[in-house]
Amino acid sequence: MATLQDRSTAEMEQAVQEGFDLSWLQKIKDQIPGAADELAHDPTLADNTPDLLDESTNFTQRTRGALPRPGVPQYTAYTFRDKKEVWGYNLTKLYQEAVSRQWSSATDIPWESMRPLPDDVEAAQCQLATFFAQVEFVAADVPGRFIAQMSPDYHEVRMFLLTQVMDESRHMEVFRKRALSNGGGLMRMIDSVSDVTGGSTDNAREFTEMSSRLHIVGEGNVLTLFRLGELMAYNDAEKAIYRRAAQDEARHVAFGVLHARYMNECAPERREEIHAYLDEAEDRQATGNGGENPAARGANLTAESLAILLGGGADKADEGQKILAAIRQRQVKEYFQRLKSCGFDDRIENGRVNPALLEAYQAAP
């Protein structure tokens, strides 16, 4: 009786006789540096590869490393073709972590732990969930616009941004579910969440502008709220939502910080431009101008909801405001840590940073 190996050998011999040819595989091994090693192991993305050019001339959707084919029509004139416009450090690790930590609001959140809440607390939870659903829609929509504008030679950036779109879509879904799951419902739409970081994040024309406003400032401030979510959670479902959203948001913030660090070291001529984006964002955070800022000190629907949840009810909102003030200090402190990490902390030392934020930072424990 023929063994499985015998059958496979016979099938391969027949395929070769009929024109099956693997010479292209040897051609790849011979012509692409490191291809043999990659084919011998599990292929991985690499932050620094020998074929990664500082400027891309690829207009044909050809995957980096693939052999070019003559006569292929150009697909598009990609807007972002320079490595220093989009690149960052540790892209591989961030992407691999993202794909390994995907979760589902249907199976990973213990919705059965939900119980009826007092009307004022439920209304506050629903208003906050409405705010987060709107924020996360913007956080998915804005980076998504840049993916198709990048040269395919920089696929690591594209692939990470795709995971962010998936993460933020899941966040929007889970906060909508929270608002609808316990007798409340979606509450008032927030006036604006895209202008709170200076200019309009929706209308950012350049990738570094978008990342500086969205990742370093906007998502960074939301991350602080997610990390402290258990302070305003009233059941295991809400705690799980905040924990899982925080791990996703931390990746997005890390991406922005590592992009800014790369720009600081490899494109120093753009430092002043990035500082200007941070100037505007800090002004919004300090004054509350530009819409519903997740880190602003002024009164708004989100702040009122947070005070009710942190205090334990509308009648204890004053106590909640004290806790919220400490959270605002924490947001500033973590923002300053991000500035230090990406190499823009000179604005803290030279007095450029917003004075109100500096005062809050110095007063933070």
Side-chain angles (χ1 to χ4, degrees):
M1 177 180 294
T3 66
L4 181 61
Q5 181 177 358
D6 293 336
R7 290 175 55 189
S8 298
T9 301
E11 290 170 357
M12 176 60 74
E13 291 175 350
Q14 181 179 355
V16 171
Q17 291 175 1
E18 294 174 356
F20 184 69
D21 184 8
L22 286 177
S23 60
W24 60 270
L25 181 58
Q26 186 59 48
K27 187 176 182 181
I28 290 176
K29 292 180 179 180
D30 294 341
Q31 294 191 18
I32 299 180
D37 292 337
E38 290 190 12
L39 290 168
H41 302 86
D42 290 336
T44 60
L45 300 170
D47 282 340
N48 296 293
T49 58
D51 56 345
L52 182 58
L53 302 176
D54 290 335
E55 181 179 359
S56 171
T57 58
N58 178 6
F59 301 108
T60 64
Q61 293 187 315
R62 173 174 54 84
T63 300
R64 189 181 77 231
L67 298 177
R69 185 162 59 89
V72 177
Q74 292 189 4
Y75 172 72
T76 186
Y78 294 105
T79 305
F80 302 105
R81 303 191 299 272
D82 289 347
K83 178 182 175 183
K84 66 181 181 181
E85 292 179 313
V86 298
W87 200 250
Y89 296 117
N90 293 343
L91 294 173
T92 299
K93 293 180 180 178
L94 289 174
Y95 172 76
Q96 291 174 340
E97 180 187 329
V99 297
S100 68
R101 293 202 178 208
Q102 295 296 299
W103 54 277
S104 168
S105 66
T107 58
D108 295 315
I109 303 299
W111 297 107
E112 68 279 1
S113 69
M114 301 282 287
R115 296 291 183 272
L117 295 172
D119 289 347
D120 56 342
V121 174
E122 180 62 28
Q125 287 285 17
C126 291
Q127 183 61 61
L128 185 60
T130 302
F131 167 74
F132 280 136
Q134 190 172 342
V135 164
E136 301 300 72
F137 175 82
V138 172
D141 189 52
V142 173
R145 291 191 293 104
F146 288 85
I147 296 172
Q149 297 182 46
M150 293 181 192
S151 166
D153 283 343
Y154 309 126
H155 59 252
E156 291 90 341
V157 186
R158 281 174 163 242
M159 293 171 72
F160 178 80
L161 291 178
L162 286 168
T163 69
Q164 177 171 343
V165 171
M166 186 65 227
D167 291 343
E168 304 293 14
S169 300
R170 186 170 54 249
H171 296 176
M172 181 177 67
E173 172 199 11
V174 78
F175 282 113
R176 281 181 57 86
K177 283 184 176 179
R178 170 56 192 92
L180 297 168
S181 65
N182 205 30
L186 290 165
M187 306 294 278
R188 179 185 156 186
M189 172 188 174
I190 305 306
D191 293 336
S192 173
V193 295
S194 63
D195 292 340
V196 299
T197 56
S200 175
T201 307
D202 281 339
N203 296 328
R205 294 159 294 180
E206 205 277 330
F207 183 78
T208 298
E209 176 188 0
M210 179 277 296
S211 183
S212 299
R213 298 186 192 280
L214 179 69
H215 294 124
I216 295 179
V217 183
E219 289 204 271
N221 287 327
V222 170
L223 173 59
T224 305
L225 293 178
F226 285 170
R227 282 174 170 165
L228 300 174
E230 295 201 19
L231 295 177
M232 48 215 181
Y234 283 71
N235 50 63
D236 289 342
E238 291 164 0
K239 291 177 182 179
I241 289 171
Y242 285 119
R243 283 197 299 266
R244 291 188 177 276
Q247 75 175 18
D248 294 340
E249 210 78 357
R251 279 195 305 275
H252 310 159
V253 173
F255 172 85
V257 169
L258 292 170
H259 172 66
R261 184 186 299 173
Y262 180 86
M263 297 298 292
N264 179 49
E265 296 175 1
C266 300
E269 69 277 6
R270 296 191 62 187
R271 280 179 51 83
E272 177 57 30
E273 173 193 345
I274 296 172
H275 272 303
Y277 300 143
L278 299 175
D279 290 342
E280 294 178 354
E282 289 175 7
D283 175 73
R284 296 292 200 271
Q285 184 169 336
T287 64
N289 295 331
E292 196 87 356
N293 194 315
R297 284 164 161 63
N300 54 51
L301 279 174
T302 305
E304 293 171 7
S305 300
L306 286 168
I308 292 172
L309 296 174
L310 292 167
D315 59 334
K316 301 175 183 176
D318 289 344
E319 184 63 29
Q321 287 287 359
K322 297 177 183 177
I323 301 173
L324 181 57
I327 291 176
R328 297 307 192 208
Q329 286 185 321
R330 176 77 171 267
Q331 287 176 311
V332 173
K333 186 175 182 179
E334 292 185 357
Y335 167 64
F336 277 38
Q337 289 172 344
R338 292 192 293 276
L339 291 178
K340 293 177 181 179
S341 180
C342 62
F344 285 84
D345 53 325
D346 55 312
R347 63 188 294 109
I348 302 173
E349 306 300 330
N350 63 23
R352 182 166 183 168
V353 74
N354 187 280
L357 299 189
L358 180 60
E359 181 180 354
Y361 174 74
Q362 292 172 339

